[in-house]
């Protein structure tokens, strides 16, 4: 009455290529998206503007990998600063852990960036 073993084999042999193509497609899409963003940033002018840091945030990604019946856990942290310009517009940029630790909310200074790429922030002495 259940699924025959041979029928189950045919089911998985049909699904595996679809699953493989889906995962491969996601990888290619992420690579394409990264190259597109890199190219976009390179075509933008380097701007230096007066800005204030209005918020800081982190994003932690957790991953688990199963290898030889051992689960390996990995996490990575991304760091972001949100800047507010004199016009009131805001821009959140991904920064290094070092840059994240150097600044606090309400710091004023000169922000230099290119597209979505953070280049530097020079805090003004108050």
């Amino acid at each position: 009455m259940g699924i025959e073993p041979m029928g189950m084999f045919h089911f998985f042999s049909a699904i595996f290529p679809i699953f493989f193509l889906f995962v491969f497609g996601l990888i290619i899409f992420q690579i394409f998206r990264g190259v597109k963003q890199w190219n976009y940033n390179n075509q933008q002018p380097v701007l230096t503007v007066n800005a204030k840091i209005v918020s800081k945030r982190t994003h932690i990604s957790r991953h688990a990998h199963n290898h030889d019946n051992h689960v390996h856990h990995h996490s990575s942290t991304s760091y972001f600063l949100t800047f507010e310009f004199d016009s009131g517009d805001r821009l959140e940029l991904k920064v290094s852990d070092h840059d994240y630790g150097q600044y606090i909310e309400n710091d004023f200074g000169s922000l230099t960036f290119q597209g979505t790429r953070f280049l530097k922030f020079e805090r003004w002495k108050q």
Side-chain angles (χ1 to χ4, degrees), residues 47-111:
L47 299 175
T48 300
V49 295
N50 297 337
K52 172 184 172 183
I53 297 175
V54 292
S55 86
K56 297 171 68 170
R57 77 173 179 95
T58 59
H59 176 76
I60 300 172
S61 300
R62 293 181 176 87
H63 309 280
H65 304 280
N66 189 354
H67 181 68
D68 293 334
N69 293 327
H70 292 93
V71 177
H72 301 278
H73 296 277
H74 172 75
S75 65
S76 62
T77 305
S78 298
Y79 301 91
F80 299 89
L81 296 175
T82 301
F83 298 91
E84 184 175 271
F85 308 123
D86 292 338
S87 65
D89 292 330
R90 292 184 175 194
L91 176 65
E92 182 179 68
L93 298 172
K94 187 175 182 178
V95 298
S96 69
D97 58 344
H98 175 76
D99 288 320
Y100 183 85
Q102 294 295 311
Y103 307 111
I104 60 172
E105 289 183 12
N106 295 317
D107 275 347
F108 285 91
S110 297
L111 169 66

